[in-house]
Structure formats: structure tokens, C-alpha cells
mmCIF file of all heavy atoms in Angstrom:
data_model
loop_
_atom_site.group_PDB
_atom_site.id
_atom_site.type_symbol
_atom_site.label_atom_id
_atom_site.label_comp_id
_atom_site.label_asym_id
_atom_site.label_seq_id
_atom_site.Cartn_x
_atom_site.Cartn_y
_atom_site.Cartn_z
ATOM 1 N N ASP A 1 0.813 -1.212 0.000
ATOM 2 C CA ASP A 1 0.000 0.000 0.000
ATOM 3 C C ASP A 1 0.851 1.268 0.000
ATOM 4 O O ASP A 1 0.497 2.260 -0.641
ATOM 5 C CB ASP A 1 -0.959 0.016 1.195
ATOM 6 C CG ASP A 1 -0.279 -0.310 2.524
ATOM 7 O OD1 ASP A 1 0.927 -0.657 2.536
ATOM 8 O OD2 ASP A 1 -0.964 -0.244 3.567
ATOM 9 N N GLU A 2 1.990 1.227 0.670
ATOM 10 C CA GLU A 2 2.871 2.399 0.685
ATOM 11 C C GLU A 2 3.425 2.675 -0.704
ATOM 12 O O GLU A 2 3.523 3.831 -1.137
ATOM 13 C CB GLU A 2 4.005 2.169 1.686
ATOM 14 C CG GLU A 2 4.896 3.374 1.877
ATOM 15 C CD GLU A 2 5.977 3.154 2.923
ATOM 16 O OE1 GLU A 2 5.958 2.105 3.599
ATOM 17 O OE2 GLU A 2 6.854 4.037 3.044
ATOM 18 N N SER A 3 3.780 1.605 -1.418
ATOM 19 C CA SER A 3 4.286 1.780 -2.781
ATOM 20 C C SER A 3 3.206 2.307 -3.710
ATOM 21 O O SER A 3 3.469 3.172 -4.562
ATOM 22 C CB SER A 3 4.823 0.454 -3.312
ATOM 23 O OG SER A 3 5.948 0.024 -2.562
ATOM 24 N N LEU A 4 1.981 1.817 -3.580
ATOM 25 C CA LEU A 4 0.884 2.328 -4.403
ATOM 26 C C LEU A 4 0.640 3.806 -4.116
ATOM 27 O O LEU A 4 0.326 4.582 -5.018
ATOM 28 C CB LEU A 4 -0.387 1.518 -4.157
ATOM 29 C CG LEU A 4 -0.376 0.088 -4.708
ATOM 30 C CD1 LEU A 4 -1.665 -0.637 -4.323
ATOM 31 C CD2 LEU A 4 -0.190 0.068 -6.218
ATOM 32 N N ARG A 5 0.804 4.209 -2.866
ATOM 33 C CA ARG A 5 0.665 5.633 -2.532
ATOM 34 C C ARG A 5 1.747 6.452 -3.241
ATOM 35 O O ARG A 5 1.472 7.558 -3.735
ATOM 36 C CB ARG A 5 0.771 5.817 -1.015
ATOM 37 C CG ARG A 5 0.491 7.234 -0.541
ATOM 38 C CD ARG A 5 0.645 7.343 0.965
ATOM 39 N NE ARG A 5 0.093 8.586 1.475
ATOM 40 C CZ ARG A 5 0.096 8.941 2.751
ATOM 41 N NH1 ARG A 5 0.642 8.136 3.661
ATOM 42 N NH2 ARG A 5 -0.430 10.098 3.129
ATOM 43 N N THR A 6 2.962 5.912 -3.313
ATOM 44 C CA THR A 6 4.035 6.598 -4.032
ATOM 45 C C THR A 6 3.722 6.678 -5.520
ATOM 46 O O THR A 6 3.935 7.720 -6.160
ATOM 47 C CB THR A 6 5.368 5.867 -3.803
ATOM 48 O OG1 THR A 6 5.675 5.867 -2.401
ATOM 49 C CG2 THR A 6 6.493 6.546 -4.557
ATOM 50 N N TYR A 7 3.235 5.599 -6.105
ATOM 51 C CA TYR A 7 2.857 5.627 -7.523
ATOM 52 C C TYR A 7 1.723 6.622 -7.767
ATOM 53 O O TYR A 7 1.663 7.245 -8.834
ATOM 54 C CB TYR A 7 2.454 4.234 -7.986
ATOM 55 C CG TYR A 7 3.610 3.284 -8.194
ATOM 56 C CD1 TYR A 7 3.573 1.986 -7.701
ATOM 57 C CD2 TYR A 7 4.745 3.687 -8.897
ATOM 58 C CE1 TYR A 7 4.637 1.109 -7.901
ATOM 59 C CE2 TYR A 7 5.807 2.825 -9.091
ATOM 60 C CZ TYR A 7 5.748 1.541 -8.592
ATOM 61 O OH TYR A 7 6.808 0.688 -8.794
ATOM 62 N N ALA A 8 0.835 6.766 -6.800
ATOM 63 C CA ALA A 8 -0.228 7.770 -6.950
ATOM 64 C C ALA A 8 0.368 9.166 -7.004
ATOM 65 O O ALA A 8 -0.067 10.018 -7.793
ATOM 66 C CB ALA A 8 -1.229 7.658 -5.796
ATOM 67 N N ALA A 9 1.379 9.429 -6.169
ATOM 68 C CA ALA A 9 2.045 10.732 -6.191
ATOM 69 C C ALA A 9 2.714 10.993 -7.527
ATOM 70 O O ALA A 9 2.840 12.142 -7.965
ATOM 71 C CB ALA A 9 3.073 10.814 -5.058
ATOM 72 N N ALA A 10 3.125 9.913 -8.206
ATOM 73 C CA ALA A 10 3.738 10.042 -9.529
ATOM 74 C C ALA A 10 2.694 10.104 -10.642
ATOM 75 O O ALA A 10 3.059 10.201 -11.824
ATOM 76 C CB ALA A 10 4.685 8.872 -9.779
ATOM 77 N N GLY A 11 1.421 10.016 -10.284
ATOM 78 C CA GLY A 11 0.355 10.111 -11.274
ATOM 79 C C GLY A 11 0.132 8.836 -12.067
ATOM 80 O O GLY A 11 -0.429 8.887 -13.163
ATOM 81 N N LEU A 12 0.516 7.679 -11.506
ATOM 82 C CA LEU A 12 0.449 6.434 -12.265
ATOM 83 C C LEU A 12 -0.443 5.369 -11.638
ATOM 84 O O LEU A 12 -0.606 4.294 -12.225
ATOM 85 C CB LEU A 12 1.857 5.848 -12.431
ATOM 86 C CG LEU A 12 2.830 6.657 -13.292
ATOM 87 C CD1 LEU A 12 4.228 6.063 -13.193
ATOM 88 C CD2 LEU A 12 2.360 6.668 -14.738
ATOM 89 N N VAL A 13 -1.011 5.621 -10.473
ATOM 90 C CA VAL A 13 -1.696 4.532 -9.772
ATOM 91 C C VAL A 13 -2.924 4.039 -10.526
ATOM 92 O O VAL A 13 -3.260 2.841 -10.475
ATOM 93 C CB VAL A 13 -2.057 4.958 -8.330
ATOM 94 C CG1 VAL A 13 -3.254 5.912 -8.308
ATOM 95 C CG2 VAL A 13 -2.317 3.734 -7.461
ATOM 96 N N ASP A 14 -3.611 4.890 -11.244
ATOM 97 C CA ASP A 14 -4.800 4.443 -11.982
ATOM 98 C C ASP A 14 -4.443 3.453 -13.083
ATOM 99 O O ASP A 14 -5.264 2.620 -13.471
ATOM 100 C CB ASP A 14 -5.535 5.637 -12.586
ATOM 101 C CG ASP A 14 -6.233 6.484 -11.528
ATOM 102 O OD1 ASP A 14 -6.453 5.955 -10.414
ATOM 103 O OD2 ASP A 14 -6.541 7.653 -11.805
ATOM 104 N N GLU A 15 -3.211 3.541 -13.597
ATOM 105 C CA GLU A 15 -2.762 2.581 -14.603
ATOM 106 C C GLU A 15 -2.238 1.298 -13.964
ATOM 107 O O GLU A 15 -2.208 0.246 -14.607
ATOM 108 C CB GLU A 15 -1.660 3.201 -15.464
ATOM 109 C CG GLU A 15 -2.134 4.277 -16.438
ATOM 110 C CD GLU A 15 -2.533 5.576 -15.752
ATOM 111 O OE1 GLU A 15 -1.889 5.933 -14.746
ATOM 112 O OE2 GLU A 15 -3.499 6.214 -16.208
ATOM 113 N N ILE A 16 -1.823 1.379 -12.689
ATOM 114 C CA ILE A 16 -1.257 0.221 -12.003
ATOM 115 C C ILE A 16 -2.339 -0.645 -11.361
ATOM 116 O O ILE A 16 -2.233 -1.881 -11.344
ATOM 117 C CB ILE A 16 -0.213 0.675 -10.967
ATOM 118 C CG1 ILE A 16 1.014 1.238 -11.696
ATOM 119 C CG2 ILE A 16 0.194 -0.459 -10.035
ATOM 120 C CD1 ILE A 16 2.045 1.853 -10.797
ATOM 121 N N LEU A 17 -3.394 -0.040 -10.858
ATOM 122 C CA LEU A 17 -4.432 -0.821 -10.190
ATOM 123 C C LEU A 17 -5.008 -1.940 -11.060
ATOM 124 O O LEU A 17 -5.289 -3.034 -10.548
ATOM 125 C CB LEU A 17 -5.553 0.106 -9.699
ATOM 126 C CG LEU A 17 -5.179 1.033 -8.533
ATOM 127 C CD1 LEU A 17 -6.347 1.936 -8.179
ATOM 128 C CD2 LEU A 17 -4.746 0.230 -7.313
ATOM 129 N N PRO A 18 -5.180 -1.747 -12.375
ATOM 130 C CA PRO A 18 -5.724 -2.849 -13.176
ATOM 131 C C PRO A 18 -4.806 -4.062 -13.316
ATOM 132 O O PRO A 18 -5.266 -5.128 -13.748
ATOM 133 C CB PRO A 18 -5.959 -2.195 -14.554
ATOM 134 C CG PRO A 18 -6.096 -0.740 -14.267
ATOM 135 C CD PRO A 18 -5.144 -0.489 -13.144
ATOM 136 N N ILE A 19 -3.528 -3.939 -12.970
ATOM 137 C CA ILE A 19 -2.612 -5.064 -13.155
ATOM 138 C C ILE A 19 -2.294 -5.775 -11.842
ATOM 139 O O ILE A 19 -1.440 -6.667 -11.808
ATOM 140 C CB ILE A 19 -1.298 -4.624 -13.836
ATOM 141 C CG1 ILE A 19 -0.483 -3.701 -12.905
ATOM 142 C CG2 ILE A 19 -1.571 -3.954 -15.166
ATOM 143 C CD1 ILE A 19 0.919 -3.427 -13.403
ATOM 144 N N ILE A 20 -2.963 -5.422 -10.747
ATOM 145 C CA ILE A 20 -2.707 -6.065 -9.462
ATOM 146 C C ILE A 20 -3.914 -6.887 -9.030
ATOM 147 O O ILE A 20 -5.030 -6.709 -9.532
ATOM 148 C CB ILE A 20 -2.373 -5.042 -8.357
ATOM 149 C CG1 ILE A 20 -3.615 -4.205 -8.003
ATOM 150 C CG2 ILE A 20 -1.202 -4.154 -8.757
ATOM 151 C CD1 ILE A 20 -3.467 -3.374 -6.745
ATOM 152 N N VAL A 21 -3.671 -7.792 -8.093
ATOM 153 C CA VAL A 21 -4.748 -8.428 -7.328
ATOM 154 C C VAL A 21 -4.797 -7.701 -5.992
ATOM 155 O O VAL A 21 -3.789 -7.666 -5.277
ATOM 156 C CB VAL A 21 -4.465 -9.923 -7.103
ATOM 157 C CG1 VAL A 21 -5.503 -10.511 -6.159
ATOM 158 C CG2 VAL A 21 -4.456 -10.669 -8.427
ATOM 159 N N PRO A 22 -5.921 -7.068 -5.633
ATOM 160 C CA PRO A 22 -5.976 -6.362 -4.343
ATOM 161 C C PRO A 22 -5.876 -7.362 -3.194
ATOM 162 O O PRO A 22 -6.835 -8.044 -2.843
ATOM 163 C CB PRO A 22 -7.333 -5.656 -4.374
ATOM 164 C CG PRO A 22 -8.142 -6.429 -5.370
ATOM 165 C CD PRO A 22 -7.174 -6.964 -6.376
ATOM 166 N N GLY A 23 -4.701 -7.464 -2.632
ATOM 167 C CA GLY A 23 -4.399 -8.552 -1.711
ATOM 168 C C GLY A 23 -4.793 -8.285 -0.277
ATOM 169 O O GLY A 23 -5.066 -7.151 0.128
ATOM 170 N N THR A 24 -4.772 -9.358 0.520
ATOM 171 C CA THR A 24 -5.174 -9.270 1.929
ATOM 172 C C THR A 24 -4.088 -9.766 2.871
ATOM 173 O O THR A 24 -4.371 -10.063 4.026
ATOM 174 C CB THR A 24 -6.460 -10.074 2.170
ATOM 175 O OG1 THR A 24 -6.221 -11.455 1.878
ATOM 176 C CG2 THR A 24 -7.599 -9.561 1.305
ATOM 177 N N GLY A 25 -2.840 -9.879 2.397
ATOM 178 C CA GLY A 25 -1.765 -10.261 3.296
ATOM 179 C C GLY A 25 -1.200 -11.635 3.008
ATOM 180 O O GLY A 25 -1.173 -12.094 1.867
ATOM 181 N N THR A 26 -0.789 -12.329 4.070
ATOM 182 C CA THR A 26 -0.116 -13.622 3.945
ATOM 183 C C THR A 26 -0.684 -14.592 4.972
ATOM 184 O O THR A 26 -0.842 -14.243 6.147
ATOM 185 C CB THR A 26 1.399 -13.480 4.178
ATOM 186 O OG1 THR A 26 1.929 -12.539 3.247
ATOM 187 C CG2 THR A 26 2.105 -14.816 3.999
ATOM 188 N N ARG A 27 -0.982 -15.816 4.521
ATOM 189 C CA ARG A 27 -1.438 -16.868 5.437
ATOM 190 C C ARG A 27 -0.285 -17.848 5.657
ATOM 191 O O ARG A 27 0.354 -18.304 4.706
ATOM 192 C CB ARG A 27 -2.653 -17.586 4.866
ATOM 193 C CG ARG A 27 -3.234 -18.655 5.798
ATOM 194 C CD ARG A 27 -4.617 -19.093 5.362
ATOM 195 N NE ARG A 27 -5.581 -17.991 5.492
ATOM 196 C CZ ARG A 27 -6.874 -18.104 5.204
ATOM 197 N NH1 ARG A 27 -7.347 -19.251 4.728
ATOM 198 N NH2 ARG A 27 -7.672 -17.072 5.360
ATOM 199 N N TYR A 28 -0.037 -18.156 6.938
ATOM 200 C CA TYR A 28 1.046 -19.051 7.317
ATOM 201 C C TYR A 28 0.478 -20.408 7.734
ATOM 202 O O TYR A 28 -0.484 -20.471 8.497
ATOM 203 C CB TYR A 28 1.867 -18.446 8.462
ATOM 204 C CG TYR A 28 2.664 -17.240 8.041
ATOM 205 C CD1 TYR A 28 2.107 -15.954 8.076
ATOM 206 C CD2 TYR A 28 3.973 -17.370 7.584
ATOM 207 C CE1 TYR A 28 2.833 -14.844 7.674
ATOM 208 C CE2 TYR A 28 4.710 -16.266 7.183
ATOM 209 C CZ TYR A 28 4.127 -15.013 7.231
ATOM 210 O OH TYR A 28 4.854 -13.903 6.828
ATOM 211 N N TYR A 29 1.098 -21.455 7.215
ATOM 212 C CA TYR A 29 0.664 -22.819 7.488
ATOM 213 C C TYR A 29 1.739 -23.538 8.291
ATOM 214 O O TYR A 29 2.938 -23.330 8.078
ATOM 215 C CB TYR A 29 0.405 -23.575 6.193
ATOM 216 C CG TYR A 29 -0.758 -23.034 5.387
ATOM 217 C CD1 TYR A 29 -0.612 -21.887 4.613
ATOM 218 C CD2 TYR A 29 -2.000 -23.658 5.407
ATOM 219 C CE1 TYR A 29 -1.677 -21.383 3.870
ATOM 220 C CE2 TYR A 29 -3.073 -23.163 4.672
ATOM 221 C CZ TYR A 29 -2.900 -22.024 3.906
ATOM 222 O OH TYR A 29 -3.950 -21.523 3.190
ATOM 223 N N GLY A 30 1.308 -24.410 9.186
ATOM 224 C CA GLY A 30 2.241 -25.130 10.030
ATOM 225 C C GLY A 30 2.762 -26.392 9.386
ATOM 226 O O GLY A 30 2.461 -26.721 8.235
ATOM 227 N N ALA A 31 3.544 -27.140 10.170
ATOM 228 C CA ALA A 31 4.138 -28.385 9.680
ATOM 229 C C ALA A 31 3.075 -29.414 9.323
ATOM 230 O O ALA A 31 3.300 -30.281 8.471
ATOM 231 C CB ALA A 31 5.093 -28.950 10.727
ATOM 232 N N ASP A 32 1.894 -29.331 9.960
ATOM 233 C CA ASP A 32 0.816 -30.266 9.686
ATOM 234 C C ASP A 32 -0.049 -29.858 8.499
ATOM 235 O O ASP A 32 -1.029 -30.535 8.159
ATOM 236 C CB ASP A 32 -0.076 -30.429 10.922
ATOM 237 C CG ASP A 32 -0.668 -29.093 11.400
ATOM 238 O OD1 ASP A 32 -0.407 -28.058 10.749
ATOM 239 O OD2 ASP A 32 -1.373 -29.099 12.424
ATOM 240 N N GLY A 33 0.293 -28.734 7.838
ATOM 241 C CA GLY A 33 -0.461 -28.266 6.681
ATOM 242 C C GLY A 33 -1.670 -27.428 7.027
ATOM 243 O O GLY A 33 -2.335 -26.900 6.127
ATOM 244 N N ALA A 34 -1.973 -27.280 8.324
ATOM 245 C CA ALA A 34 -3.136 -26.490 8.737
ATOM 246 C C ALA A 34 -2.753 -25.017 8.876
ATOM 247 O O ALA A 34 -1.618 -24.697 9.260
ATOM 248 C CB ALA A 34 -3.683 -27.011 10.058
ATOM 249 N N PRO A 35 -3.695 -24.099 8.605
ATOM 250 C CA PRO A 35 -3.398 -22.675 8.791
ATOM 251 C C PRO A 35 -3.087 -22.363 10.249
ATOM 252 O O PRO A 35 -3.719 -22.911 11.159
ATOM 253 C CB PRO A 35 -4.693 -21.984 8.341
ATOM 254 C CG PRO A 35 -5.411 -22.984 7.505
ATOM 255 C CD PRO A 35 -5.045 -24.330 8.065
ATOM 256 N N VAL A 36 -2.109 -21.494 10.461
ATOM 257 C CA VAL A 36 -1.752 -21.059 11.812
ATOM 258 C C VAL A 36 -2.254 -19.640 12.062
ATOM 259 O O VAL A 36 -2.936 -19.371 13.047
ATOM 260 C CB VAL A 36 -0.228 -21.141 12.034
ATOM 261 C CG1 VAL A 36 0.133 -20.662 13.445
ATOM 262 C CG2 VAL A 36 0.267 -22.568 11.810
ATOM 263 N N PHE A 37 -1.945 -18.696 11.159
ATOM 264 C CA PHE A 37 -2.476 -17.347 11.283
ATOM 265 C C PHE A 37 -2.411 -16.648 9.931
ATOM 266 O O PHE A 37 -1.709 -17.090 9.021
ATOM 267 C CB PHE A 37 -1.738 -16.537 12.357
ATOM 268 C CG PHE A 37 -0.317 -16.169 12.011
ATOM 269 C CD1 PHE A 37 -0.007 -14.925 11.479
ATOM 270 C CD2 PHE A 37 0.719 -17.060 12.241
ATOM 271 C CE1 PHE A 37 1.300 -14.579 11.158
ATOM 272 C CE2 PHE A 37 2.037 -16.730 11.943
ATOM 273 C CZ PHE A 37 2.320 -15.483 11.397
ATOM 274 N N HIS A 38 -3.151 -15.562 9.839
ATOM 275 C CA HIS A 38 -3.187 -14.756 8.615
ATOM 276 C C HIS A 38 -2.704 -13.360 8.976
ATOM 277 O O HIS A 38 -3.319 -12.670 9.785
ATOM 278 C CB HIS A 38 -4.617 -14.698 8.065
ATOM 279 C CG HIS A 38 -4.727 -14.108 6.689
ATOM 280 N ND1 HIS A 38 -5.351 -14.747 5.648
ATOM 281 C CD2 HIS A 38 -4.282 -12.931 6.166
ATOM 282 C CE1 HIS A 38 -5.311 -13.998 4.559
ATOM 283 N NE2 HIS A 38 -4.654 -12.889 4.858
ATOM 284 N N ALA A 39 -1.586 -12.943 8.397
ATOM 285 C CA ALA A 39 -1.019 -11.622 8.659
ATOM 286 C C ALA A 39 -1.615 -10.624 7.681
ATOM 287 O O ALA A 39 -1.577 -10.833 6.466
ATOM 288 C CB ALA A 39 0.506 -11.660 8.512
ATOM 289 N N ARG A 40 -2.159 -9.535 8.211
ATOM 290 C CA ARG A 40 -2.824 -8.548 7.372
ATOM 291 C C ARG A 40 -2.667 -7.162 7.992
ATOM 292 O O ARG A 40 -2.092 -7.012 9.072
ATOM 293 C CB ARG A 40 -4.301 -8.898 7.217
ATOM 294 C CG ARG A 40 -5.081 -8.883 8.522
ATOM 295 C CD ARG A 40 -6.555 -9.242 8.280
ATOM 296 N NE ARG A 40 -6.745 -10.672 8.061
ATOM 297 C CZ ARG A 40 -7.371 -11.160 7.004
ATOM 298 N NH1 ARG A 40 -7.841 -10.347 6.072
ATOM 299 N NH2 ARG A 40 -7.537 -12.459 6.863
ATOM 300 N N ALA A 41 -3.194 -6.139 7.328
ATOM 301 C CA ALA A 41 -3.096 -4.769 7.829
ATOM 302 C C ALA A 41 -3.925 -4.604 9.092
ATOM 303 O O ALA A 41 -5.063 -5.082 9.176
ATOM 304 C CB ALA A 41 -3.569 -3.788 6.769
ATOM 305 N N GLU A 42 -3.373 -3.908 10.091
ATOM 306 C CA GLU A 42 -4.128 -3.623 11.305
ATOM 307 C C GLU A 42 -5.287 -2.682 11.009
ATOM 308 O O GLU A 42 -6.393 -2.847 11.538
ATOM 309 C CB GLU A 42 -3.209 -3.011 12.360
ATOM 310 C CG GLU A 42 -3.903 -2.729 13.678
ATOM 311 C CD GLU A 42 -2.953 -2.247 14.749
ATOM 312 O OE1 GLU A 42 -1.766 -1.998 14.435
ATOM 313 O OE2 GLU A 42 -3.385 -2.130 15.913
ATOM 314 N N VAL A 43 -5.031 -1.682 10.166
ATOM 315 C CA VAL A 43 -6.078 -0.753 9.742
ATOM 316 C C VAL A 43 -6.177 -0.849 8.224
ATOM 317 O O VAL A 43 -5.347 -0.293 7.510
ATOM 318 C CB VAL A 43 -5.758 0.698 10.157
ATOM 319 C CG1 VAL A 43 -6.873 1.640 9.696
ATOM 320 C CG2 VAL A 43 -5.549 0.793 11.660
ATOM 321 N N PRO A 44 -7.154 -1.576 7.700
ATOM 322 C CA PRO A 44 -7.268 -1.702 6.244
ATOM 323 C C PRO A 44 -7.360 -0.340 5.566
ATOM 324 O O PRO A 44 -8.045 0.563 6.044
ATOM 325 C CB PRO A 44 -8.557 -2.502 6.061
ATOM 326 C CG PRO A 44 -8.730 -3.247 7.346
ATOM 327 C CD PRO A 44 -8.197 -2.322 8.406
ATOM 328 N N PHE A 45 -6.646 -0.191 4.502
ATOM 329 C CA PHE A 45 -6.658 1.018 3.681
ATOM 330 C C PHE A 45 -6.173 2.256 4.442
ATOM 331 O O PHE A 45 -6.511 3.372 4.083
ATOM 332 C CB PHE A 45 -8.062 1.269 3.088
ATOM 333 C CG PHE A 45 -8.340 0.450 1.868
ATOM 334 C CD1 PHE A 45 -8.641 -0.900 1.981
ATOM 335 C CD2 PHE A 45 -8.269 1.002 0.606
ATOM 336 C CE1 PHE A 45 -8.874 -1.680 0.865
ATOM 337 C CE2 PHE A 45 -8.509 0.239 -0.525
ATOM 338 C CZ PHE A 45 -8.806 -1.105 -0.390
ATOM 339 N N ARG A 46 -5.346 2.066 5.473
ATOM 340 C CA ARG A 46 -4.842 3.236 6.197
ATOM 341 C C ARG A 46 -4.070 4.171 5.274
ATOM 342 O O ARG A 46 -4.135 5.397 5.422
ATOM 343 C CB ARG A 46 -3.943 2.794 7.357
ATOM 344 C CG ARG A 46 -3.347 3.996 8.097
ATOM 345 C CD ARG A 46 -2.514 3.623 9.291
ATOM 346 N NE ARG A 46 -1.901 4.837 9.808
ATOM 347 C CZ ARG A 46 -0.675 5.239 9.565
ATOM 348 N NH1 ARG A 46 0.125 4.503 8.800
ATOM 349 N NH2 ARG A 46 -0.210 6.375 10.057
ATOM 350 N N LEU A 47 -3.333 3.621 4.312
ATOM 351 C CA LEU A 47 -2.574 4.449 3.380
ATOM 352 C C LEU A 47 -3.332 4.710 2.085
ATOM 353 O O LEU A 47 -2.788 5.282 1.147
ATOM 354 C CB LEU A 47 -1.227 3.806 3.076
ATOM 355 C CG LEU A 47 -0.303 3.587 4.287
ATOM 356 C CD1 LEU A 47 1.040 3.039 3.841
ATOM 357 C CD2 LEU A 47 -0.115 4.865 5.082
#
């Protein structure tokens, strides 16, 4: 999100948004293959 904010300052974010998947972070799985936790933004869309 910080990088997209920088691209917006450069006047390019509207061209970049169509080429991304709006993501929600990273999910971590344990040795048993089961999900352990999902790391994401504390405040969605803060930037």
C-alpha cells in the first residue's frame, strides 16, 4: 500500500491498479499443513 501511494504521487496509480490483485496479506501454514495465522493490515486502507 505504501508503494501504491508513491505511484499515486507520480500520477500512475490508476494505470497500475488494473494489473494487481488487491491482496489481503499472507497466510502461514504449520508443519501439519493447517493454517496457523493470517497476517494482514491492522487498519485496512490506512494508506
